[in-house]
Amino acid sequence: MTEDFDAIVIGTGQAGPALAVRLAGAGYKTAIIERERFGGTCVNVGCIPTKTLIASARAAWVARNAASYGVAIDGAVRIDMPTVKARKDGVVAQSTNGVESWLRGTSNVTVIEGHARFESARVVRVDGRQLTAPRIFINTGGRPTVPAIGGLTDIDYLTSSSMMDVDFVPEHLIVVGGSYIGLEFAQMYRRFGSNVTVVEMAPRLIPREDEEVSQAVREILESEGIGVRLHAQCIDVEKRADGVAVRVSCEEEPRVIAGSHLLLAVGRIPNTDDLGLERAGIATDARGFIVVDDQLSTNVSGIWALGDVNGRGAFTHTSFNDYEIVAANLLDGEARRVSDRFAVYALFTDPPLARAGMTEREARASGRPVLVGRRAMARVGRARERGEMKGFMHVMVDAETRKILGAALLGIEADEAIHCIIDVMSAGAPYTAIRRAVHIHPTVSELIPTLLGELSPLQQAIADIPPLILA
Ligand SMILES: Cc1cc2nc3c(=O)[nH]c(=O)nc-3n(C[C@H](O)[C@H](O)[C@H](O)COP(=O)(O)OP(=O)(O)OC[C@H]3O[C@@H](n4cnc5c(N)ncnc54)[C@H](O)[C@@H]3O)c2cc1C
């Protein structure tokens, strides 16, 4: 028997639940399907658990450094990993249960558990059930990439997902992948007490960032005792009696790094290979991402793709923004587009890196006349008071339009301070809107108007850059 709906949502990631509830509220009889845990990646194995674990790691760091603040801790600082994990599990459970009960408690929404597959452009099968709808929304997210590394099938390895089950402190964690996810785990486990080595194939960490950002992040991690091995062009792995050995070079010494555990953090692939997309005629690109237009429609009319699965973003906030775009266009008569948004994200190391808009490399390539303002965190009162002065703030402005082109803030509270820049960029207002704002003292944000009052042309600023102060 076929069950008829007005809308079907596949996946309960960061776009699906909000969309299902919105559609149901607008009178659409809506089915939402989940094959695993409600809330998807962010809630169960992504943002929420990692930031909860990072909070425990920071508590350990603060305790170890307490003496420098005049706080005496008599006795060693110990990590109780089962409790760290239990705390994380508790925070995750609250969120995943919240998503599930929200959906189940919404009238006009039918929650179906199981793996969804297209039978055709209008029919979706979930186990024995056959559902139809004129509108289908795909929010199936992604999963960690497992690269074709020699020897991998013979060893036990961890991914960002299986790291969530770890309730012990590895003796020596080797992290293959020196980008956002890998670096957050690297610092977290170093602070829990592991020896940590990051292995990256590229010549620098987080190669998407500007060189000075990569370099400063590297210095921050190395200052905590994290080993960084770049240019690892020739990676393969081998089982050892006490763990794992990772070959990092065919020529340069050291050729091999030995550790107790291996974490692979080399990117994510979309969950599209087991969706039956070919039966619905839905096009994907060479990497498996569903091809969408600027309003997130696929090539098949009546089918949309939202979140990581469309390759137009890889964050919770981009997935949620996808929901807002689709809902506004479908239900509110608006014409919102993905291309209206600009890049914003953070790397939640401590201190964090927050980014908005263009990198310096992109700004140079744009050919625009660029002004830049720069300030070391050591010159920010709040950072000095906190005794955490690593990093810098860097903001670029278009000299003609006076609009902010991009910003990289690396330092304490950067993930919050960036929002005054994001809001002005979103409003399409000139940088002078921040310049004239009165910010609260003493905060990190209060220095952003000051920094914008000291702009100089990009070339000159590069020549004049004071050495990075990474206290
Ligand atoms: C370790 C880690 C840390 C991260 N930290 C951050 C961060 O700090 N900030 C940030 O913005 N982003 C972060 N991200 C990224 C963020 O988690 C994702 O971008 C976000 O979850 C968006 O996902 P989504 O909405 O596309 O779908 P997802 O959250 O991936 O959810 C997809 C859902 O669809 C379900 N599903 C898949 N296929 C089917 C099917 N065939 N049938 C039924 N159900 C199906 C899955 O089970 C899953 O529940 C992190 C990711 C990781 C891995």
PDB file of all heavy atoms in Angstrom, residues 393-430:
ATOM      1  N   MET A 393      44.200  39.759  14.928  1.00  0.00           N
ATOM      2  CA  MET A 393      42.962  40.053  14.188  1.00  0.00           C
ATOM      3  C   MET A 393      43.352  40.730  12.894  1.00  0.00           C
ATOM      4  O   MET A 393      44.232  41.596  12.871  1.00  0.00           O
ATOM      5  CB  MET A 393      42.047  40.970  15.002  1.00  0.00           C
ATOM      6  CG  MET A 393      41.596  40.346  16.301  1.00  0.00           C
ATOM      7  SD  MET A 393      40.232  41.261  17.058  1.00  0.00           S
ATOM      8  CE  MET A 393      41.127  42.555  17.885  1.00  0.00           C
ATOM      9  N   HIS A 394      42.691  40.360  11.811  1.00  0.00           N
ATOM     10  CA  HIS A 394      43.060  40.836  10.484  1.00  0.00           C
ATOM     11  C   HIS A 394      41.765  41.086   9.720  1.00  0.00           C
ATOM     12  O   HIS A 394      40.970  40.159   9.532  1.00  0.00           O
ATOM     13  CB  HIS A 394      43.900  39.725   9.823  1.00  0.00           C
ATOM     14  CG  HIS A 394      44.369  40.025   8.454  1.00  0.00           C
ATOM     15  ND1 HIS A 394      43.608  39.774   7.328  1.00  0.00           N
ATOM     16  CD2 HIS A 394      45.533  40.527   8.012  1.00  0.00           C
ATOM     17  CE1 HIS A 394      44.295  40.109   6.256  1.00  0.00           C
ATOM     18  NE2 HIS A 394      45.469  40.574   6.640  1.00  0.00           N
ATOM     19  N   VAL A 395      41.514  42.323   9.331  1.00  0.00           N
ATOM     20  CA  VAL A 395      40.269  42.657   8.627  1.00  0.00           C
ATOM     21  C   VAL A 395      40.614  43.406   7.350  1.00  0.00           C
ATOM     22  O   VAL A 395      41.477  44.292   7.349  1.00  0.00           O
ATOM     23  CB  VAL A 395      39.345  43.543   9.502  1.00  0.00           C
ATOM     24  CG1 VAL A 395      38.020  43.804   8.793  1.00  0.00           C
ATOM     25  CG2 VAL A 395      39.090  42.892  10.860  1.00  0.00           C
ATOM     26  N   MET A 396      39.960  43.026   6.249  1.00  0.00           N
ATOM     27  CA  MET A 396      40.215  43.680   4.958  1.00  0.00           C
ATOM     28  C   MET A 396      38.972  44.425   4.485  1.00  0.00           C
ATOM     29  O   MET A 396      37.859  43.924   4.611  1.00  0.00           O
ATOM     30  CB  MET A 396      40.603  42.638   3.907  1.00  0.00           C
ATOM     31  CG  MET A 396      41.929  41.968   4.194  1.00  0.00           C
ATOM     32  SD  MET A 396      42.173  40.593   3.074  1.00  0.00           S
ATOM     33  CE  MET A 396      40.758  39.587   3.427  1.00  0.00           C
ATOM     34  N   VAL A 397      39.221  45.598   3.908  1.00  0.00           N
ATOM     35  CA  VAL A 397      38.131  46.473   3.461  1.00  0.00           C
ATOM     36  C   VAL A 397      38.385  46.847   2.004  1.00  0.00           C
ATOM     37  O   VAL A 397      39.537  47.037   1.596  1.00  0.00           O
ATOM     38  CB  VAL A 397      38.118  47.750   4.344  1.00  0.00           C
ATOM     39  CG1 VAL A 397      37.230  48.820   3.754  1.00  0.00           C
ATOM     40  CG2 VAL A 397      37.686  47.406   5.762  1.00  0.00           C
ATOM     41  N   ASP A 398      37.311  46.947   1.230  1.00  0.00           N
ATOM     42  CA  ASP A 398      37.424  47.434  -0.145  1.00  0.00           C
ATOM     43  C   ASP A 398      37.562  48.957  -0.091  1.00  0.00           C
ATOM     44  O   ASP A 398      36.664  49.652   0.413  1.00  0.00           O
ATOM     45  CB  ASP A 398      36.164  47.023  -0.923  1.00  0.00           C
ATOM     46  CG  ASP A 398      36.257  47.353  -2.398  1.00  0.00           C
ATOM     47  OD1 ASP A 398      36.671  48.490  -2.729  1.00  0.00           O
ATOM     48  OD2 ASP A 398      35.927  46.484  -3.223  1.00  0.00           O
ATOM     49  N   ALA A 399      38.662  49.478  -0.620  1.00  0.00           N
ATOM     50  CA  ALA A 399      38.944  50.910  -0.496  1.00  0.00           C
ATOM     51  C   ALA A 399      37.914  51.750  -1.251  1.00  0.00           C
ATOM     52  O   ALA A 399      37.673  52.906  -0.885  1.00  0.00           O
ATOM     53  CB  ALA A 399      40.351  51.200  -1.031  1.00  0.00           C
ATOM     54  N   GLU A 400      37.276  51.193  -2.290  1.00  0.00           N
ATOM     55  CA  GLU A 400      36.298  51.973  -3.064  1.00  0.00           C
ATOM     56  C   GLU A 400      34.908  51.921  -2.442  1.00  0.00           C
ATOM     57  O   GLU A 400      34.287  52.957  -2.202  1.00  0.00           O
ATOM     58  CB  GLU A 400      36.229  51.447  -4.498  1.00  0.00           C
ATOM     59  CG  GLU A 400      37.264  52.091  -5.403  1.00  0.00           C
ATOM     60  CD  GLU A 400      37.348  51.410  -6.748  1.00  0.00           C
ATOM     61  OE1 GLU A 400      36.398  50.685  -7.129  1.00  0.00           O
ATOM     62  OE2 GLU A 400      38.378  51.589  -7.412  1.00  0.00           O
ATOM     63  N   THR A 401      34.424  50.702  -2.190  1.00  0.00           N
ATOM     64  CA  THR A 401      33.042  50.581  -1.676  1.00  0.00           C
ATOM     65  C   THR A 401      32.968  50.768  -0.170  1.00  0.00           C
ATOM     66  O   THR A 401      31.897  50.969   0.378  1.00  0.00           O
ATOM     67  CB  THR A 401      32.465  49.188  -1.997  1.00  0.00           C
ATOM     68  OG1 THR A 401      33.237  48.212  -1.277  1.00  0.00           O
ATOM     69  CG2 THR A 401      32.524  48.886  -3.488  1.00  0.00           C
ATOM     70  N   ARG A 402      34.105  50.666   0.499  1.00  0.00           N
ATOM     71  CA  ARG A 402      34.219  50.753   1.960  1.00  0.00           C
ATOM     72  C   ARG A 402      33.512  49.581   2.665  1.00  0.00           C
ATOM     73  O   ARG A 402      33.226  49.639   3.856  1.00  0.00           O
ATOM     74  CB  ARG A 402      33.709  52.106   2.474  1.00  0.00           C
ATOM     75  CG  ARG A 402      34.458  53.277   1.840  1.00  0.00           C
ATOM     76  CD  ARG A 402      34.348  54.523   2.612  1.00  0.00           C
ATOM     77  NE  ARG A 402      32.962  54.905   2.820  1.00  0.00           N
ATOM     78  CZ  ARG A 402      32.549  55.800   3.702  1.00  0.00           C
ATOM     79  NH1 ARG A 402      33.431  56.425   4.457  1.00  0.00           N
ATOM     80  NH2 ARG A 402      31.286  56.104   3.841  1.00  0.00           N
ATOM     81  N   LYS A 403      33.239  48.529   1.908  1.00  0.00           N
ATOM     82  CA  LYS A 403      32.630  47.344   2.529  1.00  0.00           C
ATOM     83  C   LYS A 403      33.725  46.376   2.984  1.00  0.00           C
ATOM     84  O   LYS A 403      34.807  46.336   2.395  1.00  0.00           O
ATOM     85  CB  LYS A 403      31.705  46.649   1.540  1.00  0.00           C
ATOM     86  CG  LYS A 403      30.495  47.508   1.246  1.00  0.00           C
ATOM     87  CD  LYS A 403      29.388  46.721   0.656  1.00  0.00           C
ATOM     88  CE  LYS A 403      28.168  47.620   0.526  1.00  0.00           C
ATOM     89  NZ  LYS A 403      27.280  47.203  -0.520  1.00  0.00           N
ATOM     90  N   ILE A 404      33.406  45.611   4.003  1.00  0.00           N
ATOM     91  CA  ILE A 404      34.384  44.639   4.508  1.00  0.00           C
ATOM     92  C   ILE A 404      34.433  43.450   3.553  1.00  0.00           C
ATOM     93  O   ILE A 404      33.401  42.890   3.177  1.00  0.00           O
ATOM     94  CB  ILE A 404      34.008  44.183   5.928  1.00  0.00           C
ATOM     95  CG1 ILE A 404      34.068  45.377   6.890  1.00  0.00           C
ATOM     96  CG2 ILE A 404      34.954  43.075   6.418  1.00  0.00           C
ATOM     97  CD1 ILE A 404      33.592  45.080   8.300  1.00  0.00           C
ATOM     98  N   LEU A 405      35.644  43.095   3.139  1.00  0.00           N
ATOM     99  CA  LEU A 405      35.819  41.971   2.214  1.00  0.00           C
ATOM    100  C   LEU A 405      35.977  40.654   2.975  1.00  0.00           C
ATOM    101  O   LEU A 405      35.521  39.608   2.520  1.00  0.00           O
ATOM    102  CB  LEU A 405      37.061  42.188   1.351  1.00  0.00           C
ATOM    103  CG  LEU A 405      36.984  43.353   0.354  1.00  0.00           C
ATOM    104  CD1 LEU A 405      38.358  43.592  -0.270  1.00  0.00           C
ATOM    105  CD2 LEU A 405      35.952  43.051  -0.721  1.00  0.00           C
ATOM    106  N   GLY A 406      36.667  40.721   4.105  1.00  0.00           N
ATOM    107  CA  GLY A 406      36.889  39.486   4.843  1.00  0.00           C
ATOM    108  C   GLY A 406      37.648  39.762   6.128  1.00  0.00           C
ATOM    109  O   GLY A 406      38.227  40.835   6.309  1.00  0.00           O
ATOM    110  N   ALA A 407      37.606  38.762   7.006  1.00  0.00           N
ATOM    111  CA  ALA A 407      38.306  38.902   8.280  1.00  0.00           C
ATOM    112  C   ALA A 407      38.747  37.545   8.784  1.00  0.00           C
ATOM    113  O   ALA A 407      38.065  36.541   8.562  1.00  0.00           O
ATOM    114  CB  ALA A 407      37.385  39.553   9.319  1.00  0.00           C
ATOM    115  N   ALA A 408      39.901  37.533   9.421  1.00  0.00           N
ATOM    116  CA  ALA A 408      40.374  36.336  10.130  1.00  0.00           C
ATOM    117  C   ALA A 408      40.731  36.788  11.542  1.00  0.00           C
ATOM    118  O   ALA A 408      41.603  37.637  11.717  1.00  0.00           O
ATOM    119  CB  ALA A 408      41.594  35.739   9.438  1.00  0.00           C
ATOM    120  N   LEU A 409      40.017  36.259  12.511  1.00  0.00           N
ATOM    121  CA  LEU A 409      40.316  36.577  13.906  1.00  0.00           C
ATOM    122  C   LEU A 409      40.804  35.300  14.572  1.00  0.00           C
ATOM    123  O   LEU A 409      40.082  34.303  14.620  1.00  0.00           O
ATOM    124  CB  LEU A 409      39.071  37.090  14.648  1.00  0.00           C
ATOM    125  CG  LEU A 409      38.235  38.215  14.016  1.00  0.00           C
ATOM    126  CD1 LEU A 409      37.172  38.681  15.012  1.00  0.00           C
ATOM    127  CD2 LEU A 409      39.076  39.391  13.559  1.00  0.00           C
ATOM    128  N   LEU A 410      42.023  35.331  15.056  1.00  0.00           N
ATOM    129  CA  LEU A 410      42.590  34.174  15.757  1.00  0.00           C
ATOM    130  C   LEU A 410      42.943  34.654  17.155  1.00  0.00           C
ATOM    131  O   LEU A 410      43.877  35.440  17.326  1.00  0.00           O
ATOM    132  CB  LEU A 410      43.838  33.675  15.015  1.00  0.00           C
ATOM    133  CG  LEU A 410      44.641  32.566  15.704  1.00  0.00           C
ATOM    134  CD1 LEU A 410      43.831  31.270  15.786  1.00  0.00           C
ATOM    135  CD2 LEU A 410      45.948  32.298  14.963  1.00  0.00           C
ATOM    136  N   GLY A 411      42.188  34.210  18.135  1.00  0.00           N
ATOM    137  CA  GLY A 411      42.456  34.671  19.495  1.00  0.00           C
ATOM    138  C   GLY A 411      41.274  34.358  20.388  1.00  0.00           C
ATOM    139  O   GLY A 411      40.227  33.879  19.920  1.00  0.00           O
ATOM    140  N   ILE A 412      41.428  34.641  21.674  1.00  0.00           N
ATOM    141  CA  ILE A 412      40.324  34.326  22.598  1.00  0.00           C
ATOM    142  C   ILE A 412      39.070  35.075  22.164  1.00  0.00           C
ATOM    143  O   ILE A 412      39.136  36.213  21.698  1.00  0.00           O
ATOM    144  CB  ILE A 412      40.668  34.675  24.058  1.00  0.00           C
ATOM    145  CG1 ILE A 412      41.035  36.162  24.205  1.00  0.00           C
ATOM    146  CG2 ILE A 412      41.742  33.790  24.610  1.00  0.00           C
ATOM    147  CD1 ILE A 412      40.824  36.664  25.619  1.00  0.00           C
ATOM    148  N   GLU A 413      37.952  34.420  22.309  1.00  0.00           N
ATOM    149  CA  GLU A 413      36.614  34.973  22.001  1.00  0.00           C
ATOM    150  C   GLU A 413      36.449  35.348  20.529  1.00  0.00           C
ATOM    151  O   GLU A 413      35.488  36.021  20.163  1.00  0.00           O
ATOM    152  CB  GLU A 413      36.283  36.223  22.863  1.00  0.00           C
ATOM    153  CG  GLU A 413      36.726  36.190  24.305  1.00  0.00           C
ATOM    154  CD  GLU A 413      35.975  35.186  25.151  1.00  0.00           C
ATOM    155  OE1 GLU A 413      35.232  34.377  24.580  1.00  0.00           O
ATOM    156  OE2 GLU A 413      36.166  35.204  26.381  1.00  0.00           O
ATOM    157  N   ALA A 414      37.369  34.909  19.663  1.00  0.00           N
ATOM    158  CA  ALA A 414      37.274  35.283  18.250  1.00  0.00           C
ATOM    159  C   ALA A 414      35.981  34.761  17.628  1.00  0.00           C
ATOM    160  O   ALA A 414      35.381  35.419  16.772  1.00  0.00           O
ATOM    161  CB  ALA A 414      38.477  34.727  17.491  1.00  0.00           C
ATOM    162  N   ASP A 415      35.547  33.563  18.087  1.00  0.00           N
ATOM    163  CA  ASP A 415      34.333  32.975  17.518  1.00  0.00           C
ATOM    164  C   ASP A 415      33.094  33.790  17.855  1.00  0.00           C
ATOM    165  O   ASP A 415      32.065  33.667  17.177  1.00  0.00           O
ATOM    166  CB  ASP A 415      34.178  31.517  17.979  1.00  0.00           C
ATOM    167  CG  ASP A 415      34.354  31.350  19.487  1.00  0.00           C
ATOM    168  OD1 ASP A 415      34.978  32.226  20.122  1.00  0.00           O
ATOM    169  OD2 ASP A 415      33.862  30.356  20.038  1.00  0.00           O
ATOM    170  N   GLU A 416      33.142  34.600  18.893  1.00  0.00           N
ATOM    171  CA  GLU A 416      32.027  35.501  19.205  1.00  0.00           C
ATOM    172  C   GLU A 416      32.273  36.884  18.594  1.00  0.00           C
ATOM    173  O   GLU A 416      31.376  37.474  17.992  1.00  0.00           O
ATOM    174  CB  GLU A 416      31.857  35.635  20.731  1.00  0.00           C
ATOM    175  CG  GLU A 416      31.500  34.342  21.444  1.00  0.00           C
ATOM    176  CD  GLU A 416      30.100  33.831  21.096  1.00  0.00           C
ATOM    177  OE1 GLU A 416      29.296  34.594  20.542  1.00  0.00           O
ATOM    178  OE2 GLU A 416      29.829  32.646  21.380  1.00  0.00           O
ATOM    179  N   ALA A 417      33.500  37.377  18.716  1.00  0.00           N
ATOM    180  CA  ALA A 417      33.798  38.742  18.260  1.00  0.00           C
ATOM    181  C   ALA A 417      33.557  38.909  16.755  1.00  0.00           C
ATOM    182  O   ALA A 417      33.201  39.996  16.294  1.00  0.00           O
ATOM    183  CB  ALA A 417      35.245  39.104  18.603  1.00  0.00           C
ATOM    184  N   ILE A 418      33.722  37.824  15.990  1.00  0.00           N
ATOM    185  CA  ILE A 418      33.579  37.908  14.527  1.00  0.00           C
ATOM    186  C   ILE A 418      32.169  38.348  14.130  1.00  0.00           C
ATOM    187  O   ILE A 418      31.954  38.888  13.045  1.00  0.00           O
ATOM    188  CB  ILE A 418      33.915  36.530  13.884  1.00  0.00           C
ATOM    189  CG1 ILE A 418      34.077  36.621  12.353  1.00  0.00           C
ATOM    190  CG2 ILE A 418      32.838  35.497  14.192  1.00  0.00           C
ATOM    191  CD1 ILE A 418      35.393  37.058  11.894  1.00  0.00           C
ATOM    192  N   HIS A 419      31.188  38.142  15.035  1.00  0.00           N
ATOM    193  CA  HIS A 419      29.814  38.411  14.619  1.00  0.00           C
ATOM    194  C   HIS A 419      29.510  39.884  14.389  1.00  0.00           C
ATOM    195  O   HIS A 419      28.597  40.209  13.627  1.00  0.00           O
ATOM    196  CB  HIS A 419      28.819  37.764  15.594  1.00  0.00           C
ATOM    197  CG  HIS A 419      28.778  36.275  15.399  1.00  0.00           C
ATOM    198  ND1 HIS A 419      29.601  35.418  16.084  1.00  0.00           N
ATOM    199  CD2 HIS A 419      28.083  35.513  14.528  1.00  0.00           C
ATOM    200  CE1 HIS A 419      29.384  34.182  15.655  1.00  0.00           C
ATOM    201  NE2 HIS A 419      28.483  34.213  14.721  1.00  0.00           N
ATOM    202  N   CYS A 420      30.281  40.789  14.983  1.00  0.00           N
ATOM    203  CA  CYS A 420      30.011  42.202  14.656  1.00  0.00           C
ATOM    204  C   CYS A 420      30.420  42.470  13.206  1.00  0.00           C
ATOM    205  O   CYS A 420      29.795  43.263  12.505  1.00  0.00           O
ATOM    206  CB  CYS A 420      30.679  43.163  15.641  1.00  0.00           C
ATOM    207  SG  CYS A 420      32.464  43.237  15.589  1.00  0.00           S
ATOM    208  N   ILE A 421      31.432  41.744  12.747  1.00  0.00           N
ATOM    209  CA  ILE A 421      31.853  41.883  11.345  1.00  0.00           C
ATOM    210  C   ILE A 421      30.844  41.191  10.420  1.00  0.00           C
ATOM    211  O   ILE A 421      30.431  41.741   9.399  1.00  0.00           O
ATOM    212  CB  ILE A 421      33.269  41.310  11.179  1.00  0.00           C
ATOM    213  CG1 ILE A 421      34.254  42.245  11.887  1.00  0.00           C
ATOM    214  CG2 ILE A 421      33.634  41.133   9.706  1.00  0.00           C
ATOM    215  CD1 ILE A 421      35.659  41.744  11.964  1.00  0.00           C
ATOM    216  N   ILE A 422      30.433  39.975  10.800  1.00  0.00           N
ATOM    217  CA  ILE A 422      29.461  39.240   9.980  1.00  0.00           C
ATOM    218  C   ILE A 422      28.176  40.057   9.808  1.00  0.00           C
ATOM    219  O   ILE A 422      27.631  40.157   8.702  1.00  0.00           O
ATOM    220  CB  ILE A 422      29.141  37.865  10.618  1.00  0.00           C
ATOM    221  CG1 ILE A 422      30.370  36.947  10.560  1.00  0.00           C
ATOM    222  CG2 ILE A 422      27.949  37.209   9.925  1.00  0.00           C
ATOM    223  CD1 ILE A 422      30.205  35.611  11.284  1.00  0.00           C
ATOM    224  N   ASP A 423      27.705  40.671  10.879  1.00  0.00           N
ATOM    225  CA  ASP A 423      26.430  41.394  10.796  1.00  0.00           C
ATOM    226  C   ASP A 423      26.532  42.612   9.875  1.00  0.00           C
ATOM    227  O   ASP A 423      25.618  42.895   9.100  1.00  0.00           O
ATOM    228  CB  ASP A 423      25.962  41.815  12.198  1.00  0.00           C
ATOM    229  CG  ASP A 423      25.508  40.612  13.023  1.00  0.00           C
ATOM    230  OD1 ASP A 423      25.283  39.542  12.417  1.00  0.00           O
ATOM    231  OD2 ASP A 423      25.392  40.738  14.250  1.00  0.00           O
ATOM    232  N   VAL A 424      27.646  43.319   9.954  1.00  0.00           N
ATOM    233  CA  VAL A 424      27.809  44.488   9.085  1.00  0.00           C
ATOM    234  C   VAL A 424      27.963  44.046   7.630  1.00  0.00           C
ATOM    235  O   VAL A 424      27.389  44.657   6.718  1.00  0.00           O
ATOM    236  CB  VAL A 424      29.006  45.342   9.572  1.00  0.00           C
ATOM    237  CG1 VAL A 424      29.429  46.354   8.524  1.00  0.00           C
ATOM    238  CG2 VAL A 424      28.618  46.056  10.856  1.00  0.00           C
ATOM    239  N   MET A 425      28.695  42.952   7.406  1.00  0.00           N
ATOM    240  CA  MET A 425      28.813  42.427   6.035  1.00  0.00           C
ATOM    241  C   MET A 425      27.448  41.980   5.519  1.00  0.00           C
ATOM    242  O   MET A 425      27.086  42.256   4.371  1.00  0.00           O
ATOM    243  CB  MET A 425      29.797  41.248   5.999  1.00  0.00           C
ATOM    244  CG  MET A 425      31.249  41.663   6.183  1.00  0.00           C
ATOM    245  SD  MET A 425      32.358  40.229   6.249  1.00  0.00           S
ATOM    246  CE  MET A 425      32.435  39.744   4.523  1.00  0.00           C
ATOM    247  N   SER A 426      26.676  41.299   6.354  1.00  0.00           N
ATOM    248  CA  SER A 426      25.349  40.820   5.929  1.00  0.00           C
ATOM    249  C   SER A 426      24.420  41.981   5.605  1.00  0.00           C
ATOM    250  O   SER A 426      23.605  41.896   4.693  1.00  0.00           O
ATOM    251  CB  SER A 426      24.693  39.988   7.029  1.00  0.00           C
ATOM    252  OG  SER A 426      25.402  38.817   7.220  1.00  0.00           O
ATOM    253  N   ALA A 427      24.541  43.043   6.362  1.00  0.00           N
ATOM    254  CA  ALA A 427      23.676  44.203   6.139  1.00  0.00           C
ATOM    255  C   ALA A 427      24.106  44.994   4.908  1.00  0.00           C
ATOM    256  O   ALA A 427      23.399  45.907   4.472  1.00  0.00           O
ATOM    257  CB  ALA A 427      23.702  45.103   7.373  1.00  0.00           C
ATOM    258  N   GLY A 428      25.274  44.667   4.357  1.00  0.00           N
ATOM    259  CA  GLY A 428      25.782  45.408   3.191  1.00  0.00           C
ATOM    260  C   GLY A 428      26.223  46.808   3.581  1.00  0.00           C
ATOM    261  O   GLY A 428      26.318  47.708   2.723  1.00  0.00           O
ATOM    262  N   ALA A 429      26.475  47.013   4.870  1.00  0.00           N
ATOM    263  CA  ALA A 429      26.861  48.350   5.356  1.00  0.00           C
ATOM    264  C   ALA A 429      28.378  48.545   5.227  1.00  0.00           C
ATOM    265  O   ALA A 429      29.127  47.563   5.173  1.00  0.00           O
ATOM    266  CB  ALA A 429      26.440  48.498   6.813  1.00  0.00           C
ATOM    267  N   PRO A 430      28.843  49.778   5.170  1.00  0.00           N
ATOM    268  CA  PRO A 430      30.285  50.018   5.111  1.00  0.00           C
ATOM    269  C   PRO A 430      30.951  49.754   6.461  1.00  0.00           C
ATOM    270  O   PRO A 430      30.273  49.745   7.490  1.00  0.00           O
ATOM    271  CB  PRO A 430      30.381  51.499   4.739  1.00  0.00           C
ATOM    272  CG  PRO A 430      29.119  52.084   5.254  1.00  0.00           C
ATOM    273  CD  PRO A 430      28.072  51.019   5.157  1.00  0.00           C
TER     274      PRO A 430
END
